[in-house]
Amino acid sequence: GTLVVAALYKFAKLDEYEALQKPLLARCEAHNVKGILLLAPEGINGTICGQRKGIDNVVSFIRGIKGIGQGLSYKESFVSSNTLQQGPFYRMRVRLKKEIVTLGVEGADPLKTVGTYVDPKDWNKLISREDVVCIDTRNTYETQIGTFKGAVDPRTESFREFPNWVSSNLDPKKNKSVAMFCTGGIRCEKATAHLLNQGFENVYHLKGGILNYLKEVPSSQSLWDGECYVFDERVSVNHNLQMGSFEKCRACRRPISEADKKHDMFEEGVSCPQCYNQYSEEQKKRFRHRNKLVKMAKARGDTHLGSDARPKKMRKLREQELGKLADLTPDMAIA
């Protein structure tokens, strides 16, 4: 059958966000909906997957939360259960956070100030202007498999690095018009707020992010080049929002191509050309053990959900990155 993947977020004042965790998780589990949702005082962010009826029920529950309502940013894509037997997610998690996406600077509050939203149909015209600098706010492992033609890649490893990149590479006096984009739109909410706080005049962002653009703009008119990284087991989606050609390195979680898998530095579940030198032999030994357990579980028809093989530092980075999850986007937990 076909599963619905829903990427969503909303900046809203949620004073009693902690009290929402258990009922939201219970609602998802009751309808066999899996994924990850982040709750924080500033709103909700996440990506979930399930059957049509289950997704509709959970989204209705979320829209019923005081402060959320119909203003929820919401995008759907679809995946065949034949393609991904377990679906894009193995389980459901509802996590409490200080922020639903972490920029790492004070004062970037989309509820107070935010850039100008640009509909996908108007995006090409905007980023083709000579006076506009177009910036990809995503991280290197995302930008390396796809981006807009002519976009500037800050080459960040974490969204927290973005403010420093801005201060070193952009000037409000020279860069009068700045257009930004991300997977599902949520990172740009904070990125545009930050730029406006820094004195930039004309700050734009792609409404609904890359996922919305791929949905609304025909490939024949598209300025998108490549595939779009997503924060789930699909790894990437193509211009038709169908599962892309990349897989995921189970050690570092970065996307890998067929060419990467043929590289001498690739070992399934242990390393890829991008992370081969990051880990010690002791860590790789643990990775091999975990990969063996995964294969044994798969042979039994089970899903291995044991402790993550990655070192604590990498897991912490992943936790931070889940803050863009509409982006998961779903957009991950995120966008």
Side-chain angles (χ1 to χ4, degrees), residues 161-175:
E161 296 175 11
F162 187 71
N164 285 337
W165 180 87
V166 169
S167 62
S168 300
N169 294 276
L170 296 180
D171 184 345
K173 294 176 181 177
K174 294 178 181 177
N175 306 114

Side-chain angles (χ1 to χ4, degrees), residues 2-14:
T2 300
L3 299 173
V4 181
V5 183
L8 57 93
Y9 76 87
K10 173 71 185 290
F11 283 96
K13 195 176 180 187
L14 300 182

Side-chain angles (χ1 to χ4, degrees), residues 324-335:
K324 25 188 179 226
L325 232 152
D327 265 47
L328 253 173
T329 223
D331 307 1
M332 146 93 149
I334 204 224

Side-chain angles (χ1 to χ4, degrees), residues 306-326:
S307 60
D308 202 320
R310 290 165 290 152
K312 185 175 180 181
K313 184 179 178 182
M314 288 298 292
R315 292 202 300 271
K316 188 173 181 181
L317 177 61
R318 176 64 176 160
E319 289 285 316
Q320 293 171 358
E321 292 309 318
L322 283 173
K324 25 188 179 226
L325 232 152

Side-chain angles (χ1 to χ4, degrees), residues 87-106:
F89 300 97
Y90 294 135
R91 56 190 159 191
M92 185 65 221
R93 291 172 289 179
V94 180
R95 290 181 169 169
L96 302 178
K97 295 285 184 178
K98 292 180 181 179
E99 301 173 89
I100 56 174
V101 61
T102 304
L103 183 59
V105 293
E106 296 292 325

